[in-house]
Amino acid sequence: MGETVNLYAVIPSINRRETLTDLVNVLVNDGVHVIVVDTGYAEPLNFGGAFQTRITILEDKQEPKNVSRWWNMGLTWADMIQWDSADDGNEYVVAVINDDVVAQPGLVPGLADAIIRHGVVASFPDIWGVGRDAVMHQPSGLRMAGYCFALRGSLALRADETMQWWYSDNDIEHQALQAGGVALVGGLTIQHLYPGSTTVGELAEQAGRDGATFVAKWGYAP
């Protein structure tokens, strides 16, 4: 990246201490300030180590569970850290990542680089195996990864909290497409360990309601 860009990541998490710790370690070693939203751990999270100043732990154990609220809490906190910093005039990028993502070094810097290089609002890894960058300005078959994406901080996009469990990532993608575009970062790969594993019971029912909310807002099902 040719300009200085501050890097943040928001990770809502519950009951995945091991995968969360692995992910946090990769991110802080890349110079990312990590904001973990504890959504229900019985014992407090404590990462320790030399990078403690790059980790913020928030709590939101409210019911009903609302992933959009968790994302927004972290995104707003990243804004506050940026505004309070000595280099608050710099651009900044905030990644939103699931706690069951396995990341390699360079993930968030790569997502941020694509946002700056292509002049877009959001980016996501190459989950479709394209092998090269692709920039979208309208909905396409290359749908954004809801479990790992990054946003240009200065645009202050937020999740729609009326979509509590699913489809708020699709909503953010549509906001980003309208605001300046979304980039798929060719060759930047991750592993997503447990897709859909928590969407059962009441949360599965909520996902259905969220789908109806999305259709009412955007006019079609993604």
Side-chain angles (χ1 to χ4, degrees):
M1 290 177 285
E3 61 183 278
T4 300
V5 179
N6 293 342
L7 305 176
Y8 303 89
V10 176
I11 312 172
S13 184
I14 182 172
N15 297 336
R16 286 181 179 154
R17 198 177 294 262
E18 184 176 349
T19 57
L20 172 65
T21 300
D22 290 344
L23 177 58
V24 169
N25 284 338
V26 170
L27 299 182
V28 295
N29 276 291
D30 272 343
V32 179
H33 190 115
V34 179
I35 302 163
V36 177
V37 183
D38 174 354
T39 67
Y41 281 91
E43 298 295 327
L45 290 168
N46 183 6
F47 297 96
F51 296 116
Q52 190 64 38
T53 57
R54 291 189 194 163
I55 302 171
T56 299
I57 300 173
L58 309 177
E59 284 191 6
D60 183 344
K61 301 178 182 180
Q62 299 179 59
E63 296 290 343
K65 298 180 189 302
N66 188 325
V67 70
S68 299
R69 187 180 68 232
W70 300 337
W71 289 351
N72 287 346
M73 175 182 287
L75 290 166
T76 299
W77 201 266
D79 288 348
M80 292 170 58
I81 297 170
Q82 176 72 13
W83 297 335
D84 288 343
S85 69
D87 50 0
D88 61 351
N90 293 343
E91 184 58 270
Y92 63 109
V93 168
V94 189
V96 177
I97 310 175
N98 278 27
D99 63 358
D100 61 343
V101 163
V102 179
Q104 301 301 314
L107 173 63
V108 176
L111 293 172
D113 174 70
I115 287 174
I116 302 304
R117 188 158 37 86
H118 293 296
V120 295
V121 178
S123 64
F124 65 100
D126 191 3
I127 62 169
W128 302 109
V130 176
R132 57 178 176 79
D133 286 8
V135 177
M136 285 74 69
H137 294 280
Q138 59 186 14
S140 73
L142 300 175
R143 189 163 54 85
M144 188 178 79
Y147 47 88
C148 183
F149 59 91
L151 302 172
R152 184 184 290 267
S154 59
L155 269 290
L157 297 189
R158 290 296 184 268
D160 184 338
E161 295 185 19
T162 64
M163 301 175 209
Q164 297 179 19
W165 198 248
W166 273 21
Y167 296 98
S168 54
D169 55 319
N170 304 100
D171 180 75
I172 286 176
E173 179 182 26
H174 279 60
Q175 292 182 55
L177 289 168
Q178 291 187 343
V182 176
L184 174 151
V185 187
L188 187 65
T189 60
I190 56 171
Q191 184 180 4
H192 187 205
L193 294 176
Y194 311 115
S197 62
T198 57
T199 306
V200 295
E202 168 56 29
L203 291 177
E205 295 176 11
Q206 181 60 50
R209 293 190 289 271
D210 293 338
T213 301
F214 182 93
V215 170
K217 182 173 183 176
W218 294 101
Y220 77 104

